PDB file of all heavy atoms in Angstrom:
ATOM      1  N   ARG A 306     -15.035  -0.898 -26.221  1.00  0.00           N
ATOM      2  CA  ARG A 306     -14.281   0.297 -26.624  1.00  0.00           C
ATOM      3  C   ARG A 306     -12.860   0.305 -26.040  1.00  0.00           C
ATOM      4  O   ARG A 306     -11.902   0.670 -26.703  1.00  0.00           O
ATOM      5  CB  ARG A 306     -15.046   1.552 -26.162  1.00  0.00           C
ATOM      6  CG  ARG A 306     -14.290   2.863 -26.368  1.00  0.00           C
ATOM      7  CD  ARG A 306     -14.088   3.160 -27.839  1.00  0.00           C
ATOM      8  NE  ARG A 306     -13.364   4.412 -28.023  1.00  0.00           N
ATOM      9  CZ  ARG A 306     -12.035   4.512 -28.025  1.00  0.00           C
ATOM     10  NH1 ARG A 306     -11.290   3.421 -27.853  1.00  0.00           N
ATOM     11  NH2 ARG A 306     -11.449   5.683 -28.196  1.00  0.00           N
ATOM     12  N   ILE A 307     -12.754  -0.101 -24.775  1.00  0.00           N
ATOM     13  CA  ILE A 307     -11.474  -0.062 -24.058  1.00  0.00           C
ATOM     14  C   ILE A 307     -11.271  -1.430 -23.419  1.00  0.00           C
ATOM     15  O   ILE A 307     -11.946  -1.765 -22.449  1.00  0.00           O
ATOM     16  CB  ILE A 307     -11.473   1.017 -22.956  1.00  0.00           C
ATOM     17  CG1 ILE A 307     -11.904   2.372 -23.520  1.00  0.00           C
ATOM     18  CG2 ILE A 307     -10.095   1.115 -22.304  1.00  0.00           C
ATOM     19  CD1 ILE A 307     -12.186   3.404 -22.449  1.00  0.00           C
ATOM     20  N   GLN A 308     -10.380  -2.193 -23.911  1.00  0.00           N
ATOM     21  CA  GLN A 308     -10.229  -3.571 -23.418  1.00  0.00           C
ATOM     22  C   GLN A 308      -9.930  -3.614 -21.925  1.00  0.00           C
ATOM     23  O   GLN A 308     -10.495  -4.419 -21.188  1.00  0.00           O
ATOM     24  CB  GLN A 308      -9.139  -4.290 -24.209  1.00  0.00           C
ATOM     25  CG  GLN A 308      -9.526  -4.556 -25.656  1.00  0.00           C
ATOM     26  CD  GLN A 308      -8.485  -5.362 -26.403  1.00  0.00           C
ATOM     27  OE1 GLN A 308      -7.398  -5.626 -25.886  1.00  0.00           O
ATOM     28  NE2 GLN A 308      -8.806  -5.752 -27.611  1.00  0.00           N
ATOM     29  N   SER A 309      -9.022  -2.775 -21.461  1.00  0.00           N
ATOM     30  CA  SER A 309      -8.710  -2.710 -20.028  1.00  0.00           C
ATOM     31  C   SER A 309      -9.646  -1.688 -19.393  1.00  0.00           C
ATOM     32  O   SER A 309      -9.257  -0.565 -19.061  1.00  0.00           O
ATOM     33  CB  SER A 309      -7.245  -2.318 -19.819  1.00  0.00           C
ATOM     34  OG  SER A 309      -6.380  -3.275 -20.389  1.00  0.00           O
ATOM     35  N   PHE A 310     -10.898  -2.094 -19.230  1.00  0.00           N
ATOM     36  CA  PHE A 310     -11.941  -1.155 -18.818  1.00  0.00           C
ATOM     37  C   PHE A 310     -12.154  -1.200 -17.313  1.00  0.00           C
ATOM     38  O   PHE A 310     -12.185  -2.271 -16.703  1.00  0.00           O
ATOM     39  CB  PHE A 310     -13.247  -1.489 -19.536  1.00  0.00           C
ATOM     40  CG  PHE A 310     -14.355  -0.513 -19.273  1.00  0.00           C
ATOM     41  CD1 PHE A 310     -14.251   0.803 -19.691  1.00  0.00           C
ATOM     42  CD2 PHE A 310     -15.497  -0.903 -18.599  1.00  0.00           C
ATOM     43  CE1 PHE A 310     -15.276   1.715 -19.456  1.00  0.00           C
ATOM     44  CE2 PHE A 310     -16.530  -0.017 -18.366  1.00  0.00           C
ATOM     45  CZ  PHE A 310     -16.420   1.300 -18.785  1.00  0.00           C
ATOM     46  N   GLU A 311     -12.303  -0.030 -16.701  1.00  0.00           N
ATOM     47  CA  GLU A 311     -12.496   0.088 -15.267  1.00  0.00           C
ATOM     48  C   GLU A 311     -13.739   0.910 -14.954  1.00  0.00           C
ATOM     49  O   GLU A 311     -14.092   1.844 -15.693  1.00  0.00           O
ATOM     50  CB  GLU A 311     -11.287   0.775 -14.620  1.00  0.00           C
ATOM     51  CG  GLU A 311     -10.038  -0.073 -14.573  1.00  0.00           C
ATOM     52  CD  GLU A 311     -10.105  -1.172 -13.528  1.00  0.00           C
ATOM     53  OE1 GLU A 311     -10.776  -0.973 -12.492  1.00  0.00           O
ATOM     54  OE2 GLU A 311      -9.468  -2.217 -13.754  1.00  0.00           O
ATOM     55  N   ARG A 312     -14.374   0.571 -13.846  1.00  0.00           N
ATOM     56  CA  ARG A 312     -15.498   1.354 -13.346  1.00  0.00           C
ATOM     57  C   ARG A 312     -15.044   2.187 -12.153  1.00  0.00           C
ATOM     58  O   ARG A 312     -14.147   1.778 -11.426  1.00  0.00           O
ATOM     59  CB  ARG A 312     -16.654   0.436 -12.957  1.00  0.00           C
ATOM     60  CG  ARG A 312     -17.263  -0.316 -14.154  1.00  0.00           C
ATOM     61  CD  ARG A 312     -18.351  -1.257 -13.684  1.00  0.00           C
ATOM     62  NE  ARG A 312     -19.020  -1.913 -14.790  1.00  0.00           N
ATOM     63  CZ  ARG A 312     -18.620  -3.044 -15.342  1.00  0.00           C
ATOM     64  NH1 ARG A 312     -17.514  -3.635 -14.917  1.00  0.00           N
ATOM     65  NH2 ARG A 312     -19.314  -3.605 -16.338  1.00  0.00           N
ATOM     66  N   PRO A 313     -15.687   3.316 -11.930  1.00  0.00           N
ATOM     67  CA  PRO A 313     -15.236   4.212 -10.857  1.00  0.00           C
ATOM     68  C   PRO A 313     -15.759   3.811  -9.487  1.00  0.00           C
ATOM     69  O   PRO A 313     -16.755   3.103  -9.365  1.00  0.00           O
ATOM     70  CB  PRO A 313     -15.826   5.565 -11.274  1.00  0.00           C
ATOM     71  CG  PRO A 313     -17.107   5.179 -11.969  1.00  0.00           C
ATOM     72  CD  PRO A 313     -16.803   3.902 -12.692  1.00  0.00           C
ATOM     73  N   GLN A 314     -15.072   4.297  -8.471  1.00  0.00           N
ATOM     74  CA  GLN A 314     -15.539   4.229  -7.093  1.00  0.00           C
ATOM     75  C   GLN A 314     -15.790   5.651  -6.608  1.00  0.00           C
ATOM     76  O   GLN A 314     -15.230   6.609  -7.135  1.00  0.00           O
ATOM     77  CB  GLN A 314     -14.487   3.565  -6.191  1.00  0.00           C
ATOM     78  CG  GLN A 314     -14.223   2.120  -6.512  1.00  0.00           C
ATOM     79  CD  GLN A 314     -13.182   1.523  -5.596  1.00  0.00           C
ATOM     80  OE1 GLN A 314     -12.525   0.567  -5.954  1.00  0.00           O
ATOM     81  NE2 GLN A 314     -13.019   2.073  -4.399  1.00  0.00           N
ATOM     82  N   PHE A 315     -16.612   5.772  -5.586  1.00  0.00           N
ATOM     83  CA  PHE A 315     -16.822   7.069  -4.968  1.00  0.00           C
ATOM     84  C   PHE A 315     -15.501   7.589  -4.422  1.00  0.00           C
ATOM     85  O   PHE A 315     -14.705   6.837  -3.833  1.00  0.00           O
ATOM     86  CB  PHE A 315     -17.817   6.957  -3.812  1.00  0.00           C
ATOM     87  CG  PHE A 315     -19.252   7.125  -4.211  1.00  0.00           C
ATOM     88  CD1 PHE A 315     -19.934   6.091  -4.846  1.00  0.00           C
ATOM     89  CD2 PHE A 315     -19.921   8.303  -3.938  1.00  0.00           C
ATOM     90  CE1 PHE A 315     -21.260   6.237  -5.202  1.00  0.00           C
ATOM     91  CE2 PHE A 315     -21.248   8.459  -4.295  1.00  0.00           C
ATOM     92  CZ  PHE A 315     -21.925   7.430  -4.931  1.00  0.00           C
ATOM     93  N   GLY A 316     -15.261   8.887  -4.583  1.00  0.00           N
ATOM     94  CA  GLY A 316     -14.172   9.535  -3.886  1.00  0.00           C
ATOM     95  C   GLY A 316     -14.621   9.914  -2.484  1.00  0.00           C
ATOM     96  O   GLY A 316     -15.654   9.443  -2.002  1.00  0.00           O
ATOM     97  N   TRP A 317     -13.861  10.772  -1.816  1.00  0.00           N
ATOM     98  CA  TRP A 317     -14.245  11.207  -0.470  1.00  0.00           C
ATOM     99  C   TRP A 317     -15.337  12.268  -0.517  1.00  0.00           C
ATOM    100  O   TRP A 317     -15.880  12.664   0.510  1.00  0.00           O
ATOM    101  CB  TRP A 317     -13.026  11.721   0.285  1.00  0.00           C
ATOM    102  CG  TRP A 317     -12.434  12.980  -0.297  1.00  0.00           C
ATOM    103  CD1 TRP A 317     -12.648  14.263   0.119  1.00  0.00           C
ATOM    104  CD2 TRP A 317     -11.543  13.075  -1.422  1.00  0.00           C
ATOM    105  NE1 TRP A 317     -11.952  15.149  -0.671  1.00  0.00           N
ATOM    106  CE2 TRP A 317     -11.255  14.447  -1.620  1.00  0.00           C
ATOM    107  CE3 TRP A 317     -10.947  12.136  -2.264  1.00  0.00           C
ATOM    108  CZ2 TRP A 317     -10.412  14.899  -2.641  1.00  0.00           C
ATOM    109  CZ3 TRP A 317     -10.106  12.589  -3.278  1.00  0.00           C
ATOM    110  CH2 TRP A 317      -9.847  13.948  -3.452  1.00  0.00           C
ATOM    111  N   ARG A 318     -15.675  12.742  -1.745  1.00  0.00           N
ATOM    112  CA  ARG A 318     -16.761  13.690  -1.937  1.00  0.00           C
ATOM    113  C   ARG A 318     -17.474  13.336  -3.226  1.00  0.00           C
ATOM    114  O   ARG A 318     -16.916  12.654  -4.095  1.00  0.00           O
ATOM    115  CB  ARG A 318     -16.254  15.140  -1.951  1.00  0.00           C
ATOM    116  CG  ARG A 318     -14.997  15.344  -2.738  1.00  0.00           C
ATOM    117  CD  ARG A 318     -14.403  16.729  -2.534  1.00  0.00           C
ATOM    118  NE  ARG A 318     -15.138  17.723  -3.331  1.00  0.00           N
ATOM    119  CZ  ARG A 318     -14.914  19.027  -3.256  1.00  0.00           C
ATOM    120  NH1 ARG A 318     -14.019  19.496  -2.401  1.00  0.00           N
ATOM    121  NH2 ARG A 318     -15.588  19.867  -4.020  1.00  0.00           N
ATOM    122  N   ASN A 319     -18.692  13.788  -3.372  1.00  0.00           N
ATOM    123  CA  ASN A 319     -19.553  13.345  -4.469  1.00  0.00           C
ATOM    124  C   ASN A 319     -19.054  13.746  -5.842  1.00  0.00           C
ATOM    125  O   ASN A 319     -19.376  13.107  -6.842  1.00  0.00           O
ATOM    126  CB  ASN A 319     -20.976  13.878  -4.259  1.00  0.00           C
ATOM    127  CG  ASN A 319     -21.941  13.379  -5.314  1.00  0.00           C
ATOM    128  OD1 ASN A 319     -22.098  12.173  -5.497  1.00  0.00           O
ATOM    129  ND2 ASN A 319     -22.579  14.300  -6.022  1.00  0.00           N
ATOM    130  N   ASP A 320     -18.264  14.826  -5.927  1.00  0.00           N
ATOM    131  CA  ASP A 320     -17.830  15.295  -7.247  1.00  0.00           C
ATOM    132  C   ASP A 320     -16.462  14.748  -7.653  1.00  0.00           C
ATOM    133  O   ASP A 320     -15.848  15.252  -8.588  1.00  0.00           O
ATOM    134  CB  ASP A 320     -17.833  16.819  -7.307  1.00  0.00           C
ATOM    135  CG  ASP A 320     -16.942  17.473  -6.253  1.00  0.00           C
ATOM    136  OD1 ASP A 320     -16.426  16.753  -5.379  1.00  0.00           O
ATOM    137  OD2 ASP A 320     -16.766  18.709  -6.304  1.00  0.00           O
ATOM    138  N   VAL A 321     -15.997  13.728  -6.957  1.00  0.00           N
ATOM    139  CA  VAL A 321     -14.713  13.101  -7.281  1.00  0.00           C
ATOM    140  C   VAL A 321     -14.931  11.608  -7.502  1.00  0.00           C
ATOM    141  O   VAL A 321     -15.544  10.929  -6.668  1.00  0.00           O
ATOM    142  CB  VAL A 321     -13.676  13.318  -6.169  1.00  0.00           C
ATOM    143  CG1 VAL A 321     -12.392  12.554  -6.483  1.00  0.00           C
ATOM    144  CG2 VAL A 321     -13.374  14.804  -5.995  1.00  0.00           C
ATOM    145  N   ALA A 322     -14.429  11.094  -8.617  1.00  0.00           N
ATOM    146  CA  ALA A 322     -14.494   9.662  -8.923  1.00  0.00           C
ATOM    147  C   ALA A 322     -13.087   9.077  -8.895  1.00  0.00           C
ATOM    148  O   ALA A 322     -12.149   9.668  -9.434  1.00  0.00           O
ATOM    149  CB  ALA A 322     -15.127   9.427 -10.288  1.00  0.00           C
ATOM    150  N   LEU A 323     -12.958   7.924  -8.271  1.00  0.00           N
ATOM    151  CA  LEU A 323     -11.681   7.230  -8.156  1.00  0.00           C
ATOM    152  C   LEU A 323     -11.658   6.039  -9.100  1.00  0.00           C
ATOM    153  O   LEU A 323     -12.563   5.202  -9.079  1.00  0.00           O
ATOM    154  CB  LEU A 323     -11.468   6.761  -6.718  1.00  0.00           C
ATOM    155  CG  LEU A 323     -10.332   5.764  -6.471  1.00  0.00           C
ATOM    156  CD1 LEU A 323      -8.979   6.407  -6.772  1.00  0.00           C
ATOM    157  CD2 LEU A 323     -10.381   5.249  -5.037  1.00  0.00           C
ATOM    158  N   PHE A 324     -10.620   5.952  -9.918  1.00  0.00           N
ATOM    159  CA  PHE A 324     -10.409   4.786 -10.777  1.00  0.00           C
ATOM    160  C   PHE A 324      -9.131   4.096 -10.318  1.00  0.00           C
ATOM    161  O   PHE A 324      -8.040   4.654 -10.402  1.00  0.00           O
ATOM    162  CB  PHE A 324     -10.265   5.221 -12.245  1.00  0.00           C
ATOM    163  CG  PHE A 324     -11.560   5.626 -12.893  1.00  0.00           C
ATOM    164  CD1 PHE A 324     -12.100   6.882 -12.646  1.00  0.00           C
ATOM    165  CD2 PHE A 324     -12.233   4.754 -13.733  1.00  0.00           C
ATOM    166  CE1 PHE A 324     -13.294   7.274 -13.239  1.00  0.00           C
ATOM    167  CE2 PHE A 324     -13.435   5.141 -14.335  1.00  0.00           C
ATOM    168  CZ  PHE A 324     -13.968   6.406 -14.080  1.00  0.00           C
ATOM    169  N   MET A 325      -9.288   2.869  -9.814  1.00  0.00           N
ATOM    170  CA  MET A 325      -8.147   2.107  -9.291  1.00  0.00           C
ATOM    171  C   MET A 325      -7.423   1.339 -10.394  1.00  0.00           C
ATOM    172  O   MET A 325      -6.571   0.503 -10.111  1.00  0.00           O
ATOM    173  CB  MET A 325      -8.626   1.141  -8.213  1.00  0.00           C
ATOM    174  CG  MET A 325      -9.228   1.831  -7.014  1.00  0.00           C
ATOM    175  SD  MET A 325      -8.020   2.708  -6.024  1.00  0.00           S
ATOM    176  CE  MET A 325      -7.155   1.338  -5.278  1.00  0.00           C
ATOM    177  N   GLY A 326      -7.736   1.567 -11.612  1.00  0.00           N
ATOM    178  CA  GLY A 326      -7.093   0.928 -12.744  1.00  0.00           C
ATOM    179  C   GLY A 326      -6.812   1.969 -13.795  1.00  0.00           C
ATOM    180  O   GLY A 326      -6.783   3.154 -13.466  1.00  0.00           O
ATOM    181  N   PRO A 327      -6.656   1.576 -15.036  1.00  0.00           N
ATOM    182  CA  PRO A 327      -6.767   0.239 -15.625  1.00  0.00           C
ATOM    183  C   PRO A 327      -5.655  -0.697 -15.146  1.00  0.00           C
ATOM    184  O   PRO A 327      -4.501  -0.288 -15.059  1.00  0.00           O
ATOM    185  CB  PRO A 327      -6.639   0.508 -17.118  1.00  0.00           C
ATOM    186  CG  PRO A 327      -6.909   1.975 -17.281  1.00  0.00           C
ATOM    187  CD  PRO A 327      -6.392   2.592 -16.037  1.00  0.00           C
ATOM    188  N   ARG A 328      -6.044  -1.912 -14.835  1.00  0.00           N
ATOM    189  CA  ARG A 328      -5.119  -2.861 -14.228  1.00  0.00           C
ATOM    190  C   ARG A 328      -4.412  -3.663 -15.316  1.00  0.00           C
ATOM    191  O   ARG A 328      -5.048  -4.283 -16.155  1.00  0.00           O
ATOM    192  CB  ARG A 328      -5.886  -3.770 -13.269  1.00  0.00           C
ATOM    193  CG  ARG A 328      -6.657  -2.934 -12.266  1.00  0.00           C
ATOM    194  CD  ARG A 328      -7.505  -3.756 -11.337  1.00  0.00           C
ATOM    195  NE  ARG A 328      -8.503  -2.898 -10.704  1.00  0.00           N
ATOM    196  CZ  ARG A 328      -9.097  -3.175  -9.545  1.00  0.00           C
ATOM    197  NH1 ARG A 328      -8.808  -4.295  -8.921  1.00  0.00           N
ATOM    198  NH2 ARG A 328      -9.980  -2.343  -9.050  1.00  0.00           N
TER     199      ARG A 328
END
Side-chain angles (χ1 to χ4, degrees):
R306 173 66 180 86
I307 308 169
Q308 291 184 353
S309 299
F310 185 65
E311 288 286 329
R312 295 177 176 88
Q314 295 180 205
F315 271 77
W317 66 98
R318 43 190 282 174
N319 184 57
D320 58 352
V321 175
L323 167 65
F324 285 79
M325 297 290 288
R328 306 177 197 203

